[in-house]
Amino acid sequence: AEHWAWQPVASPVVPEVADPAWSRSAIDRFLQQRLDAAKLAPASAADKPTLLRRIYFDLTGLPPTPADVDAFVDDTSPDAFERVVDRLLAAPAFGERWARHWLDLMRYAETRGHEFDFIIPNAFEYRDYVIRALNADVPYDTFVAEHLAGDLITPPRLHPNSGGNESILGTGFWHLGEAVHSPVDIRKDETDRVDNAVDVLSKTFLAMTVSCARCHDHKLDPISQREYYSLWAVFAGLKRGDRDLDAAESARLTAERV
C-alpha cells in the first residue's frame, strides 16, 4: 500500500534551481533539478530546422517539406512555433500517427492469427474511430466510456459527417485479438479469450497487470484471485453482435427500396 503507484495524485512543489532563467515552464524546473544533482548542463537550444523536424516527427511521424522548413526559418514572429504546433495538431496525420500507439494497446489486427488467419469483419471501423477521436480531441473520460460501454451511451456521440453512432464503435476492441479457429478444448479456448479481455482492460485502463491473479492471489500487487474472477465474470457474458451505425440512413434506404 506504500508503493508510489497507489498514492493519490498530488501537486508537487516546484523546486528552486540555480539558474531559474533557463526554465521556460514549471516542468523545466524539475528537469533542471535533476541535471543540477547530476552536475550536468542543459544541452544548447536546437536551431530552427532541427526544432521543426523534431515537432513534425513527434506529432505526425512525417518530415517537413523543404518549403515548410524555409517558411519556418523565415518566420520571425514570437508565436511562429506555436502556430506550427497548432497546425500539426489539426492535421489528419496527427490522429493517424498517435492512433498506432493506442491500437497497439488494444492488440489491433484485422485478422485472427493462428493457422488460417481469418479476417475480423469490419475491424477497420474501430481503427478509423480511434483516428477520428484523436483528431477531434475527444475527452479521455468519454473515450474510455465509449470503449467500456459505448453501446449504452445515450445520446451517443455522432460521426461529424455521416451522423452515425460513433460511441458504439469504441466497443469494437472487445472483439479483437488472436483466436483459434477450431479449438480442441472449447472451454479452455473460451476462458483464454475472456482472460485476454481482462488483460487488455487492466493494462490499458488501470496501468497494471491483473491476469497474474488468474491462478493465484497477485504476489506483487494487491489484486486477489476473487477480484480477478469478479472481472472475469463480467466479461464472460460478452457476445459478438452486429449493430447499425446509422439507423436513420438505413431506414431511409429501406423506405426507398420499398
Side-chain angles (χ1 to χ4, degrees):
E2 297 176 356
H3 191 274
W4 66 266
W6 306 109
Q7 306 310 310
V9 176
S11 296
V13 177
V14 178
E16 297 293 333
V17 293
D19 182 19
W22 178 83
S23 300
R24 298 184 181 182
S25 68
I27 294 176
D28 287 344
R29 294 284 190 95
F30 291 94
L31 299 174
Q32 193 173 357
Q33 181 188 46
R34 295 296 297 272
L35 288 171
D36 291 343
K39 295 182 171 32
L40 296 174
S44 58
D47 58 30
K48 294 189 75 172
T50 300
L51 184 62
L52 188 71
R53 186 174 177 84
R54 288 176 180 173
I55 197 63
Y56 261 76
F57 275 113
D58 186 33
L59 295 183
T60 68
L62 302 169
T65 66
D68 293 330
V69 176
D70 292 341
F72 182 60
V73 170
D74 294 339
D75 190 345
T76 58
S77 57
D79 64 341
F81 185 67
E82 286 76 6
R83 286 189 284 108
V84 168
V85 171
D86 289 341
R87 176 167 57 82
L88 295 179
L89 289 174
F94 171 75
E96 294 164 358
R97 156 123 168 92
W98 286 96
R100 293 169 55 246
H101 300 286
W102 184 262
L103 294 173
D104 283 345
L105 293 174
M106 296 293 105
R107 79 280 196 233
Y108 176 80
E110 297 185 0
T111 59
R112 286 292 183 197
H114 200 238
E115 292 177 354
F116 296 105
D117 203 22
F118 289 116
I119 291 175
I120 301 176
N122 300 315
F124 72 93
E125 294 280 10
Y126 173 76
R127 176 201 64 199
D128 293 352
Y129 152 84
V130 173
I131 294 172
R132 287 194 299 271
L134 290 175
N135 280 329
D137 200 20
V138 172
Y140 183 66
D141 57 348
T142 301
F143 192 59
V144 172
E146 290 177 345
H147 275 72
L148 301 184
D151 56 327
L152 303 179
I153 293 178
T154 305
R157 190 169 59 85
L158 302 180
H159 190 287
N161 298 323
S162 70
N165 187 336
E166 283 283 84
S167 297
I168 198 173
L169 284 170
T171 61
F173 88 97
W174 293 115
H175 188 52
L176 301 173
E178 184 182 17
V180 177
H181 70 278
S182 56
V184 176
D185 188 332
I186 297 176
R187 182 58 175 162
K188 180 182 181 300
D189 179 68
E190 178 188 2
T191 57
D192 286 344
R193 294 191 192 201
V194 177
D195 176 71
N196 179 253
V198 173
D199 190 46
V200 171
L201 175 87
S202 62
K203 288 178 178 176
T204 302
F205 298 107
L206 301 178
M208 62 179 299
T209 301
V210 170
S211 291
C212 293
R214 181 181 185 180
C215 302
H216 51 72
D217 289 347
H218 205 299
K219 297 183 183 300
L220 300 177
D221 297 323
I223 302 296
S224 68
Q225 194 172 24
R226 177 182 293 274
E227 289 169 323
Y228 169 84
Y229 280 102
S230 295
L231 272 177
W232 196 96
V234 173
F235 304 137
L238 289 174
K239 303 295 182 185
R240 181 187 178 278
D242 294 320
R243 296 291 186 272
D244 197 334
L245 299 180
D246 191 355
E249 178 65 11
S250 295
R252 185 186 67 80
L253 294 175
T254 300
E256 288 181 355
R257 287 196 297 269
V258 172

